[in-house]
Each structure stands twice: as structure tokens, then as C-alpha cells.
Amino acid sequence: MGCHIEDQWLDARFAYNLERNQYYSTTLLGRLGECNRSPDLSARILGVSSVDLFVPVLTFVFGEAQLEGNRAIVSYYRLSEPQRPELLPERLTKEAVHELGHTFGLRHCHNWECVMSSSHSVERLDIKSARFCDRCAQVVQSRLGVPRPDSLTP
Ligand SMILES: [Zn+2]
Ligand SMILES: [Zn+2]
């Protein structure tokens, strides 16, 4: 398991919505795979964007993912506002882990500290952690085929 950064850029203009002055994240998700030169079914592609993302039912989204799919996108457009812009890297990390969690089949979690708790505001992002709660972590570990600690004992 590893992580690498593709040097390819995806021009987001095709997903631009003139009326909303925003970019349709679902449309962007659909094209993300084209940046992946070595398609690996178990791999996840995370797009990191600077543009303002939306889906039709919401004013904006910080990111979007394919539930149990392999693509996720996050944007840092709204993550440096309104207060404490220095928290941007932490917020982006939380949002990235959250969207990747959806690709592992996780839905929103009721544990407010869990990274899978729903957060539609920067304030909500700031109070949750960047970690999965035990229950969510177990789901991700089983999807990744990582043995649980208790099964490592001889
Ligand atoms: Zn979510
Ligand atoms: Zn959870």
C-alpha cells in the first residue's frame, strides 16, 4: 500500500456552472480516473481542487466521493474561512480522510469526534478529529484486508 502524487492536472472548466459560479463535483469525479495512468482496482484516486464545488441539492460541498467506489475529490476553496486559516492543512486532511472513508463504504457516523461525522461547516470540521472511531476503523481495516490487532497474537 502506498501513496503517490500524480503530476497530471485536470482542467475543471467542463464542470463549471455559470449560474452558480461553481463546479459540479460529481462531473469532476467522473473524469478523475483519466488522470490515473496505472489503473489498480484496489487503488483510490483523490482529487485535490482549489475550486468551489457543489452538488445540485446543496449550496456547496467540501468534497464528494463514490460510495464504495474508487474516486474522491476534495477542495480547499472554503477551508481557509472564516476563522483561523492556519488550520487549512488540518481541515483538508480531515475532509480527505472523510471522503476516502466513503469509498470504503462508510456512511456518516453519529460519533461527533469521528472523521466520518457529517460536517457542512468549517466549525464542525474543526471540532471533529482526523481519525475514524473504532467502529468505522474496523470497516476500513476489513476492506483493506488489514488484520485486526487481536488477530495478530500467535
Ligand atoms: Zn460525507
Ligand atoms: Zn465513526
Side-chain angles (χ1 to χ4, degrees):
M1 202 185 316
C3 174
H4 77 275
I5 299 170
E6 286 279 340
D7 54 12
Q8 285 190 348
W9 289 77
L10 180 65
D11 186 335
R13 275 178 293 189
F14 68 92
Y16 180 69
N17 182 303
L18 187 63
E19 279 165 30
R20 298 182 60 132
N21 191 27
Q22 287 176 304
Y23 295 78
Y24 189 6
S25 60
T26 314
T27 305
L28 284 169
L29 270 185
R31 292 274 298 272
L32 267 190
E34 295 172 12
C35 301
N36 187 15
R37 278 187 240 126
S38 54
D40 169 0
L41 289 180
S42 66
R44 297 294 189 271
I45 303 160
L46 175 70
V48 179
S49 175
S50 60
V51 301
D52 195 15
L53 301 176
F54 80 96
V55 293
V57 293
L58 295 170
T59 314
F60 66 87
V61 290
F62 294 141
E64 187 185 346
Q66 296 173 329
L67 190 68
E68 296 196 66
N70 67 347
R71 300 173 189 181
I73 187 168
V74 293
S75 172
Y76 53 86
Y77 181 86
R78 290 178 181 264
L79 298 184
S80 59
E81 58 180 353
Q83 306 269 309
R84 303 195 60 194
E86 73 277 12
L87 292 178
L88 170 63
E90 192 180 313
R91 292 167 181 158
L92 191 58
T93 302
K94 290 174 183 176
E95 186 53 29
V97 174
H98 179 96
E99 298 304 340
L100 288 171
H102 284 315
T103 69
F104 289 105
L106 288 173
R107 291 169 191 272
H108 288 152
C109 181
H110 295 302
N111 181 337
W112 62 270
E113 286 178 299
C114 176
V115 74
M116 290 312 295
S117 68
S118 140
S119 40
H120 295 297
S121 70
V122 168
E123 291 78 8
R124 286 289 301 274
L125 262 183
D126 288 343
I127 58 169
K128 74 181 181 182
S129 77
R131 296 177 162 277
F132 296 112
C133 69
D134 289 347
R135 213 174 53 92
C136 292
Q138 273 186 20
V139 173
V140 173
Q141 283 168 357
S142 66
R143 295 294 172 96
L144 287 171
V146 178
R148 285 167 50 188
D150 54 10
S151 63
L152 288 174
T153 47

